[in-house]
Amino acid sequence: MFKYWKTNYFLCFFLALTSVKAQLVHEAKIYHLIAEAVHNVFNNTCLIFMYTVENPMRNLGLHESQDLVSLPIYMGRLHVRTTAYAIKTFRQQIGESYYSLKRPLFILINDSDELREQYSTLIAPWIDMAYINWVIFFRSNTSIPDFFSNIHVPLDCVFLVVQKFEDSRTYVLTEVYSIDKGRELITNVFGTWEEESGLEITRLALYQRRSNLQGQLIRVTTVEVSANRCWARSPWWINAMNRYLFQDPPVSVAIENSDGTMTGIKGFFGTIIQILEENLNCTIVYSKSEAWGSKHPDGSWSGAIGMLVRKETDLVAAELLMSTDRLDSIAFTTPVFSTKCRTFIKRPQYAAVKWTAYSDPFYGGIWLCILIIMLLSSGFILISFKTSPSRFQFSSEELDVHFLDTFFHIFGDVCSQGSVEVDIDPIRMIHLVIHFTGVILVAAYSAALISFLAVKVFVMPFTTMLGLLEDGSYKFGVVKDSADYGFFQTTSDKVLQRMFSEILDDVEKLPNNYLEGLSKVCTEKDYAFMTTDNMFAILEHLMTCILEPLEPIMQTTLAMGVQKRSPFRGIINSNILMMGDSGVLQRVIATELAIQGSKGGENLSAVEIIDILPLMLLIIGGVFFATMIMLLEKLHHSQFAHQLKASLAQKLRQPNRLEFD
């Protein structure tokens, strides 16, 4: 009986071992060395070996279980965080928390039908494959296309197949990927490995190896917002003019053929898309949206952002601001340029009166030096005149020279006026030096005065958002259904929160685009509008008034939007970075985002009446005081003449006492 039981026991143990297929398809040493080499290439922070059998110590043979356990132990000795999971166990225990792993490397240890089934059903449908580097070990006779027939490897995923050449000691690492779901599997040789020489890989970067999209269809959406939707009822020529002026100019402008089908985009983003289409060998299909997009209370999105969320488009080629709520729903490409957001108001009608404009061209020390030179010159002239031997040729009246008279003569010389002719040589030399000094001073003063008068100093009612809020008379506007509006909805800044609740314009009255908003600043009284610096520079020449900026609200970056986990994001980013490195992007910015002309003569500052107001007041004051002095002199003279006349009359009326004597 015991002998029968013992025989059955060994039979059951043998059947258990043979019922579980071998997990390792190569020697454990090969796994160790190739895993180490791949880790060194990608500099992964952790490794996870994946297999199909659960509890391998119980279900595998002693030798194979030891080999399987040796995989994480070997990598752990190299100070690399390593673990091993059965696929089912990984799905249950780790799940979507794999995002906490930084640059992970997942290694599938065999190519069995069971592993392919578990991977295609339990892992591939939900995991972000591009987030992970993958390695799978194949037997020599396994067909790569057959294994991946039900597994989609996205364009931006690194998935390497390790397979040994038959009758050779060389292992080939083949990368596999598909441009899109339903497209054929593409294979490229990534490198080869031999025990003696190690791993030798291609020198081409990932998107250099995958630069050809082979005509892949990419849906591109731009934003075209009409400033007034009632234009649809206007005559065709008015619609054409309004569409030219009030679509989203000129960053992205839709191009349509005669039947209304969109065929392209003009402007900055249109040029970028054309370059991408040529570099990537893809086919672009265009569409447009009437709004950038805002988040509704139920969590849904409108506009172009909503099209990305609903996967109705692949790329939004428009100036999308990066915001927190948008980053939660979509992804962005590499920023194409940075800018600042600020608020613009209409320039005040009058500038500040420059009361010191006529004294500021010279510093106080220069004015003091001029006065000292005039005083010293007057003194020297007076001394020279008094001590010169030639003074005897002058009459007594001409010798009666006072310091004040001399000072006024010197003042006339400084002002380039004529002076009394004098034959005394020292005095003539002093007058000559004063004349030269006066010419230089007048030229320097005139140039500096023109500069001071040309530089306008406007009295701004406020320069900050807090000042705009405290003023209380302004209405504030942003573009409807835009990131600007969403920013004020979700901001934690107390001032901006109050602005949103107190002075922000009604939602239905908010402008539909930047041009309409800036135009409202000119046409409406006390209206402020927020936009970016680059957009204002583009649209400034279309304004009917002069706008003044307030202090910047924030620094922001503009980029194009893509779907979450978009396989095309990486290759688009790579091309944008290459355009930046080669100078193409800077050239496109310089040509497409340049200021579109300027209003004739607006850059020239004219001297207004308020600029010469101090001088006019000085002249008027001088004339007034001179008139008052003249009137006083007239009054004094008339009184004196009257008194003299009365005195003479009185003398004439008195009898001559000598006649009676």
Side-chain angles (χ1 to χ4, degrees):
M1 183 69 181
F2 176 76
K3 183 178 179 181
Y4 176 77
W5 174 85
K6 186 176 181 182
T7 303
N8 286 343
Y9 174 79
F10 282 106
L11 178 62
C12 293
F13 180 74
F14 175 77
L15 292 175
L17 293 180
T18 56
S19 62
V20 178
K21 293 184 179 180
Q23 294 294 301
L24 300 181
V25 295
H26 300 285
E27 297 179 13
K29 177 183 178 181
I30 301 300
Y31 284 89
H32 298 164
L33 298 177
I34 293 181
E36 179 184 358
V38 173
H39 163 265
N40 292 336
V41 170
F42 296 110
N43 193 26
N44 303 102
T45 60
C46 63
L47 275 74
I48 296 180
F49 290 92
M50 304 188 75
Y51 43 83
T52 57
V53 62
E54 299 185 52
N55 198 351
M57 299 299 295
R58 178 184 299 175
N59 297 323
L60 294 178
L62 179 62
H63 182 267
E64 186 175 6
S65 62
Q66 288 179 344
D67 287 343
L68 192 60
V69 171
S70 71
L71 300 182
I73 292 177
Y74 177 83
M75 297 303 298
R77 290 173 181 172
L78 301 176
H79 305 288
V80 180
R81 292 183 299 169
T82 310
T83 186
Y85 278 103
I87 291 179
K88 292 182 179 179
T89 305
F90 176 83
R91 181 70 178 92
Q92 295 170 356
Q93 296 183 0
I94 305 300
E96 295 187 0
S97 63
Y98 71 91
Y99 270 117
S100 61
L101 304 174
K102 304 300 181 183
R103 300 193 310 277
L105 174 62
F106 284 17
I107 299 179
L108 307 175
I109 64 174
N110 63 52
D111 56 356
S112 64
D113 293 339
E114 185 180 9
L115 186 143
R116 179 178 62 178
E117 178 66 23
Q118 291 187 13
Y119 183 80
S120 62
T121 57
L122 300 179
I123 300 296
W126 61 271
I127 203 168
D128 184 2
M129 295 186 66
Y131 183 77
I132 302 165
N133 298 135
W134 301 88
V135 174
I136 185 170
F137 285 84
F138 273 23
R139 289 166 291 185
S140 299
N141 59 351
T142 302
S143 171
I144 294 178
D146 291 343
F147 184 90
F148 289 96
S149 59
N150 296 325
I151 301 174
H152 170 62
V153 182
L155 174 69
D156 54 347
C157 175
V158 177
F159 206 122
L160 302 180
V161 176
V162 179
Q163 200 168 25
K164 182 182 178 183
F165 280 150
E166 294 184 5
D167 302 328
S168 173
R169 302 177 63 182
T170 302
Y171 289 80
V172 179
L173 279 71
T174 305
E175 63 175 0
V176 298
Y177 68 94
S178 297
I179 294 176
D180 199 5
K181 289 184 178 180
R183 297 286 299 270
E184 68 279 3
L185 187 72
I186 300 175
T187 60
N188 292 322
V189 175
F190 177 77
T192 58
W193 181 87
E194 293 182 359
E195 187 173 355
E196 295 80 7
S197 58
L199 180 62
E200 296 181 359
I201 64 173
T202 177
R203 295 185 179 182
L204 298 177
L206 176 64
Y207 292 111
Q208 289 178 318
R209 306 192 301 269
R210 306 181 184 186
S211 59
N212 188 355
L213 296 186
Q214 301 179 7
Q216 171 65 30
L217 185 69
I218 296 180
R219 299 165 297 173
V220 175
T221 299
T222 189
V223 179
E224 181 179 283
V225 184
S226 297
N228 191 344
R229 290 174 173 79
C230 68
W231 289 343
R233 300 188 295 271
S234 302
W236 67 270
W237 61 273
I238 295 181
N239 290 337
M241 180 181 66
N242 288 333
R243 287 186 70 250
Y244 174 77
L245 291 176
F246 289 97
Q247 54 192 354
D248 183 23
V251 181
S252 52
V253 180
I255 303 174
E256 298 178 353
N257 55 21
S258 57
D259 61 357
T261 303
M262 188 172 173
T263 59
I265 304 175
K266 291 191 301 183
F268 173 75
F269 286 104
T271 305
I272 296 297
I273 295 300
Q274 291 175 8
I275 296 174
L276 290 176
E277 183 177 14
E278 182 179 350
N279 291 347
L280 301 180
N281 186 24
C282 60
T283 303
I284 304 295
V285 176
Y286 296 95
S287 62
K288 59 183 177 181
S289 173
E290 293 188 350
W292 284 272
S294 60
K295 193 173 185 179
H296 296 157
D298 60 357
S300 62
W301 284 86
S302 63
I305 304 297
M307 295 178 68
L308 284 175
V309 173
R310 297 187 297 270
K311 301 186 184 302
E312 298 173 359
T313 188
D314 300 310
L315 177 68
V316 174
E319 59 279 14
L320 295 179
L321 296 178
M322 292 184 179
S323 60
T324 304
D325 54 348
R326 286 182 173 180
L327 287 170
D328 293 336
S329 302
I330 65 171
F332 287 89
T333 64
T334 295
V336 289
F337 56 89
S338 297
T339 185
K340 292 180 181 179
C341 287
R342 68 177 81 228
T343 299
F344 292 85
I345 62 173
K346 188 176 181 180
R347 174 179 287 186
Q349 187 174 3
Y350 295 108
V353 179
K354 303 177 183 179
W355 295 106
T356 60
Y358 293 90
S359 60
D360 286 343
F362 286 163
Y363 289 107
I366 296 179
W367 290 114
L368 181 60
C369 289
I370 295 174
L371 178 60
I372 293 174
I373 290 173
M374 293 171 61
L375 293 174
L376 292 177
S377 300
S378 301
F380 287 144
I381 289 176
L382 194 60
I383 294 172
S384 299
F385 188 80
K386 295 293 186 181
T387 59
S388 175
S390 302
R391 70 182 187 278
F392 298 109
Q393 64 183 350
F394 295 97
S395 62
S396 59
E397 293 180 358
E398 292 176 332
L399 289 174
D400 189 16
V401 179
H402 300 285
F403 180 82
L404 187 59
D405 297 332
T406 306
F407 180 81
F408 276 108
H409 284 302
I410 293 298
F411 180 74
D413 293 341
V414 172
C415 297
S416 299
Q417 301 297 313
S419 59
V420 178
E421 183 179 356
V422 181
D423 293 334
I424 302 176
D425 291 337
I427 298 177
R428 295 171 67 182
M429 291 298 298
I430 294 174
H431 277 289
L432 179 62
V433 172
I434 293 298
H435 270 292
F436 274 116
T437 305
V439 170
I440 296 173
L441 289 175
V442 169
Y445 178 81
S446 300
L449 179 62
I450 291 172
S451 301
F452 270 79
L453 294 180
V455 177
K456 304 294 184 181
V457 179
F458 294 94
V459 180
M460 297 287 289
F462 42 79
T463 58
T464 63
M465 300 300 284
L466 179 61
L468 173 63
L469 178 64
E470 293 177 346
D471 181 270
S473 62
Y474 277 74
K475 273 291 184 180
F476 179 68
V478 295
V479 174
K480 185 188 301 183
D481 291 338
S482 66
D484 305 338
Y485 185 81
F487 169 73
F488 279 88
Q489 279 183 311
T490 58
T491 182
S492 58
D493 188 276
K494 300 299 182 182
V495 174
L496 301 183
Q497 287 178 351
R498 287 183 56 195
M499 290 185 62
F500 180 80
S501 59
E502 296 179 16
I503 66 173
L504 187 68
D505 207 355
D506 297 335
V507 177
E508 60 273 8
K509 295 181 180 179
L510 288 176
N512 295 296
N513 57 37
Y514 293 114
L515 180 57
E516 184 181 350
L518 292 173
S519 299
K520 288 185 70 173
V521 177
C522 291
T523 57
E524 296 188 10
K525 181 182 179 182
D526 295 341
Y527 193 86
F529 181 74
M530 187 182 81
T531 184
T532 57
D533 285 347
N534 72 292
M535 188 59 63
F536 172 75
I538 294 171
L539 301 176
E540 183 182 9
H541 72 286
L542 298 175
M543 298 298 102
T544 58
C545 66
I546 301 177
L547 304 182
E548 292 292 336
L550 304 184
E551 292 182 359
I553 300 175
M554 60 180 175
Q555 179 82 26
T556 187
T557 54
L558 299 181
M560 295 182 289
V562 295
Q563 299 176 12
K564 277 283 190 180
R565 298 185 181 181
S566 172
F568 306 114
R569 181 191 178 194
I571 195 169
I572 291 174
N573 287 343
S574 176
N575 275 265
I576 292 176
L577 291 174
M578 286 192 295
M579 283 190 282
D581 293 340
S582 62
V584 173
L585 186 60
Q586 288 74 12
R587 187 169 65 251
V588 175
I589 291 174
T591 55
E592 298 294 343
L593 295 184
I595 298 176
Q596 305 296 307
S598 59
K599 289 178 271 190
E602 277 193 356
N603 294 330
L604 301 177
S605 298
V607 177
E608 301 176 359
I609 188 67
I610 199 169
D611 296 322
I612 61 173
L613 182 60
L615 183 60
M616 293 180 62
L617 293 178
L618 178 63
I619 295 174
I620 293 173
V623 172
F624 174 77
F625 284 112
T627 304
M628 292 298 297
I629 294 174
M630 182 187 69
L631 293 176
L632 291 176
E633 289 181 348
K634 283 287 277 186
L635 179 61
H636 177 71
H637 181 269
S638 61
Q639 290 179 352
F640 178 76
H642 180 70
Q643 292 177 359
L644 181 60
K645 186 177 180 180
S647 177
L648 291 174
Q650 184 178 4
K651 289 182 178 180
L652 291 174
R653 286 196 299 269
Q654 290 181 356
N656 193 344
R657 295 182 180 179
L658 295 176
E659 295 179 356
F660 295 97
D661 289 339

